[in-house]
């Protein structure tokens, strides 16, 4: 928001290019009329604006336009190829993760099967101890 108490240095170019609302333009003009610093900035901005207006307009050549359009089309095609490559890499990456998860699950299943089978064999081969422990007394 433009405040009438502040310097208008950053608004003088906007004033000359009609980038301000009518209220803002009035505030800037009034301030520049009263403030010597902003008045100098407005004068310098007017010189810059006049110098820019004095420059001749230049049109781009047909060759430049055609080269630029060709470059843009090749860049768009290249971006499309990169996107499709990235999508296929992402799909392959997801598939790799899925296979890795299945390998982990299968490995855990195999390890737990071996442990349970080993415990089963151990308990199947247990025999009663020949020693008889008796505790006598209170």
């Amino acid at each position: 928001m433009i405040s009438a108490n502040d310097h208008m240095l950053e608004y003088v170019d906007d004033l000359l290019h009609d980038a301000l609302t009518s209220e803002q333009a009035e505030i800037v003009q009034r301030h520049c009329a009263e403030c010597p610093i902003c008045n100098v900035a407005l004068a310098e901005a007017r010189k810059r604006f006049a110098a820019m207006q004095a420059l001749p307009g230049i049109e781009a050549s047909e060759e430049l336009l055609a080269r630029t359009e060709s470059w843009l089309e090749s860049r768009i095609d290249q971006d499309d190829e990169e996107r499709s490559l990235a999508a296929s890499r992402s799909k392959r990456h997801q598939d790799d993760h899925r296979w890795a998860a299945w390998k982990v699950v299968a490995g855990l299943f195999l390890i737990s099967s071996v442990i349970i089978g080993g415990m089963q064999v151990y308990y199947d081969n247990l025999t009663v101890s020949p020693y008889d422990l008796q505790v006598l007394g209170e």
Side-chain angles (χ1 to χ4, degrees), residues 112-130:
S112 61
S113 298
V114 168
I115 290 172
I116 291 172
M119 290 174 62
Q120 183 66 36
V121 168
Y122 173 77
Y123 284 112
D124 282 345
N125 292 326
L126 281 180
T127 58
V128 178
S129 173

Side-chain angles (χ1 to χ4, degrees), residues 6-17 28-29 31-50:
D6 297 332
H7 285 296
M8 301 292 157
L9 302 176
E10 60 190 67
Y11 299 110
V12 291
D13 286 312
D14 295 340
L15 174 68
L16 296 177
H17 291 280
V28 172
Q29 286 173 344
H31 179 84
C32 288
E34 297 170 359
C35 175
I37 294 172
C38 294
N39 193 9
V40 169
L42 182 60
E44 292 297 320
R46 284 189 175 125
K47 287 179 189 175
R48 282 192 306 273
F49 188 74

